[in-house]
């Protein structure tokens, strides 16, 4: 009888680099590769342990002097939208979301490129080519979907939505919910608050599946562009003792 077990993942540490969120700090990451049959199971375990996925790599901060990056997940079953969120849902009632296999398209890349050029001209992703984008979407060994958001047009309701693509989300399906890997939207439609709308739609999808969580990645305390993540309450933050409830005033109860 073969008693060999699958090898455990090997973890590596990056060299120090300037933090993209807090320039006064130096960033390091611990990472591992997620490939093969065990990748979906490993993705669940690592995401629940504070890791994020980028292509076939899972990583988390391992900074020597800073603990500002905090993993955030929304408690979907207890979530109640604020008045402004209800307005955003009403404003986007003409938007259809459709899940597809993690396959890139030229239409997606065109929207992605406009988003980067408008919102992240100096970011680390600013020079991504169409091939880079394709790798970001399809280089995955876990259960990943690309969720397209299109405006409704006459004839929608039979087959795939046919309206213009206005936003998209690369999302991992997990045993306890959905993890939003990356999302982008048409920068000319800022009045629709599509970033918030996509998160609200993910909360709906998770609740429809009877699952508990939407993972948003890291909230970086002190980084204004990350503050939006703390508006979706209640949520849980991964602290030293495990996941703890966050109500907007601080972590108040231990979750698991």
């Amino acid at each position: 009888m073969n008693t060999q077990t699958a090898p455990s993942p090997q973890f590596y540490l990056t060299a120090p680099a300037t933090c993209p969120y807090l320039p006064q700090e130096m960033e390091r990451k611990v990472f591992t590769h997620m490939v093969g049959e065990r990748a979906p199971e490993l993705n669940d375990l690592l995401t629940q342990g504070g890791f994020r996925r980028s292509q076939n790599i899972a990583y988390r901060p391992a900074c020597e002097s800073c603990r500002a990056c905090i993993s955030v997940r929304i408690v979907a079953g207890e979530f109640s939208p604020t008045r402004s969120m209800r307005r955003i849902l009403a404003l986007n009632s003409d938007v259809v979301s459709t899940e597809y296999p993690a396959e890139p398209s030229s239409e997606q890349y065109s929207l992605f490129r406009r988003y980067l050029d408008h919102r992240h001209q100096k970011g680390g992703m600013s020079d991504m080519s169409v091939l880079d984008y394709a790798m970001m979407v399809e280089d995955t060994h876990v259960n990943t979907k690309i969720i397209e958001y299109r405006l409704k047009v006459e004839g929608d309701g039979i087959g795939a939505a046919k309206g213009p693509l206005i936003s998209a989300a690369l999302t991992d399906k997990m045993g306890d919910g959905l993890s939003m890997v990356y999302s982008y939207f048409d920068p000319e439609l800022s009045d629709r608050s599509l970033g918030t709308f996509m998160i609200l739609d993910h909360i709906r999808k998770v609740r429809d599946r009877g699952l508990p969580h939407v993972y948003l990645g890291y909230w970086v305390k002190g980084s204004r562009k990350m503050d939006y993540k703390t508006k979706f309450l209640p949520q849980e933050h991964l602290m030293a003792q495990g996941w703890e409830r966050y109500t907007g005033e601080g972590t108040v109860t231990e979750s698991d």
Side-chain angles (χ1 to χ4, degrees):
M1 182 174 66
N2 186 353
T3 59
Q4 286 186 325
T5 59
S8 299
Q10 300 296 307
F11 291 88
Y12 307 90
L13 188 64
T14 65
T18 302
C19 175
Y21 301 107
L22 302 174
Q24 73 276 16
E25 300 288 347
M26 297 299 290
E27 148 187 274
R28 299 192 80 177
K29 296 176 182 176
V30 61
F31 68 94
T32 189
H33 294 87
M34 293 191 299
V35 296
E37 295 180 355
R38 293 186 61 204
E41 174 189 358
L42 185 60
N43 188 47
D44 277 25
L45 291 172
L46 292 179
T47 302
Q48 292 159 5
F51 281 72
R52 291 289 285 166
R53 185 183 70 81
S54 176
Q55 297 177 222
N56 62 12
I57 291 175
Y59 67 91
R60 68 171 296 173
C63 306
E64 296 177 0
S65 61
C66 179
R67 297 293 183 269
C69 293
I70 298 174
S71 293
V72 173
R73 66 185 186 188
I74 302 167
V75 184
E78 300 177 37
F79 173 79
S80 181
T82 64
R83 181 181 301 177
S84 64
M85 290 174 183
R86 291 195 294 271
R87 286 198 297 266
I88 291 169
L89 287 170
L91 185 62
N92 291 287
S93 61
D94 59 344
V95 177
V96 179
S97 69
T98 308
E99 294 184 19
Y100 295 99
E103 298 173 355
S105 71
S106 57
E107 186 180 20
Q108 291 169 16
Y109 178 70
S110 177
L111 178 61
F112 174 74
R113 189 69 261 166
R114 295 202 308 274
Y115 172 78
L116 289 183
D117 290 344
H118 188 270
R119 299 289 294 261
H120 299 285
Q121 294 179 353
K122 297 181 180 179
M125 303 173 70
S126 61
D127 59 351
M128 284 182 65
S129 68
V130 64
L131 293 178
D132 294 328
Y133 175 77
M135 290 294 291
M136 182 180 80
V137 173
E138 65 187 7
D139 188 7
T140 173
H141 288 248
V142 304
N143 190 358
T144 304
K145 301 294 182 182
I146 185 81
I147 304 176
E148 293 188 348
Y149 294 83
R150 296 179 180 272
L151 292 177
K152 290 180 182 176
V153 295
E154 186 175 353
D156 276 348
I158 302 175
K162 304 176 181 65
L165 181 68
I166 61 171
S167 63
L170 188 65
T171 300
D172 288 347
K173 299 177 75 171
M174 298 170 47
D176 69 333
L178 297 175
S179 176
M180 298 184 71
V181 176
Y182 194 82
S183 60
Y184 55 93
F185 53 84
D186 188 337
E188 295 183 2
L189 300 178
S190 59
D191 58 324
R192 284 182 173 267
S193 299
L194 289 168
T196 295
F197 174 69
M198 283 188 284
I199 295 175
L200 294 171
D201 187 60
H202 278 66
I203 295 171
R204 177 190 63 79
K205 292 177 184 297
V206 163
R207 294 178 71 160
D208 287 349
R209 291 171 167 88
L211 298 174
H213 301 127
V214 176
Y215 288 83
L216 294 183
Y218 300 118
W219 168 52
V220 183
K221 190 174 183 179
S223 176
R224 291 183 60 187
K225 62 183 178 181
M226 287 288 192
D227 284 346
Y228 73 93
K229 295 187 179 184
T230 60
K231 296 179 181 179
F232 299 88
L233 301 173
Q235 60 183 230
E236 294 171 345
H237 292 182
L238 185 57
M239 311 302 288
Q241 302 303 315
W243 289 98
E244 297 181 1
R245 182 66 61 98
Y246 179 85
T247 63
E249 299 177 354
T251 52
V252 295
T253 58
E254 187 171 319
S255 176
D256 346 288

